[in-house]
Each structure stands twice: as C-alpha cells, then as structure tokens.
C-alpha cells in the first residue's frame, strides 16, 4: 500500500528504543505510533507556550536553509 507520508530515519540508543517499545506495547500502540503521539504532545506544549507554528513560519524556515 502506497501512501504520501514522509519517511524519517532516526538513530537512537538501544536502551531508549527498548523502553519506548515497552511503553508502546503497554499503551497498545506500535513504537511508530507512540513516537507520533509524543511528537504531537511536544508540538502542542510548544504552541501553548509560544503560540501557533504557522505554515508561513515553516516556509520561512525551509527558505533559510543553506
């Protein structure tokens, strides 16, 4: 099944990955879905503290890449 979701490779210490997988299984999720939930929480917390991250801000971030 093809999808349009971007792929992101992450390097992580084995001990951290093992613990993440334990928590994910406990929560009834895959490790990937557990990471997705953690990312969503991080974004929510950031935006509550600093304001919404807009599409314009993201475009500016990418246009400033070297």
């Amino acid at each position: 099944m093809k999808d349009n979701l971007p792929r992101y490779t992450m390097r992580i210490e084995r001990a951290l990955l093992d613990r993440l997988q334990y928590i994910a299984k406990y929560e009834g999720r895959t490790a990937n879905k557990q990471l997705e939930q953690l990312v969503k929480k991080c974004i929510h917390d950031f935006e509550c503290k600093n304001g919404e991250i807009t599409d314009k801000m993201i475009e500016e971030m990418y246009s400033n890449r070297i």
Side-chain angles (χ1 to χ4, degrees):
M1 178 174 102
K2 285 192 171 190
D3 60 45
N4 292 327
L5 297 174
R7 305 291 192 256
Y8 183 82
T9 302
M10 184 172 101
R11 289 179 171 82
I12 185 171
E13 292 178 15
R14 171 54 63 186
L16 290 176
L17 181 59
D18 290 343
R19 284 159 177 77
L20 174 70
Q21 289 174 325
Y22 182 90
I23 294 167
K25 185 172 182 176
Y26 182 87
E27 297 288 335
R29 298 185 180 111
T30 64
N32 191 66
K33 285 296 182 185
Q34 187 68 26
L35 283 170
E36 186 177 334
Q37 291 301 312
L38 291 168
V39 169
K40 286 179 181 180
K41 183 182 182 326
C42 177
I43 292 168
H44 173 79
D45 292 350
F46 180 93
E47 288 184 329
C48 284
K49 183 178 177 182
N50 300 290
E52 180 183 3
I53 301 169
T54 65
D55 290 342
K56 182 178 179 185
M57 294 163 75
I58 293 169
E59 290 172 15
E60 288 175 355
M61 176 189 67
Y62 282 117
S63 68
N64 290 330
R65 281 190 169 179
I66 296 175

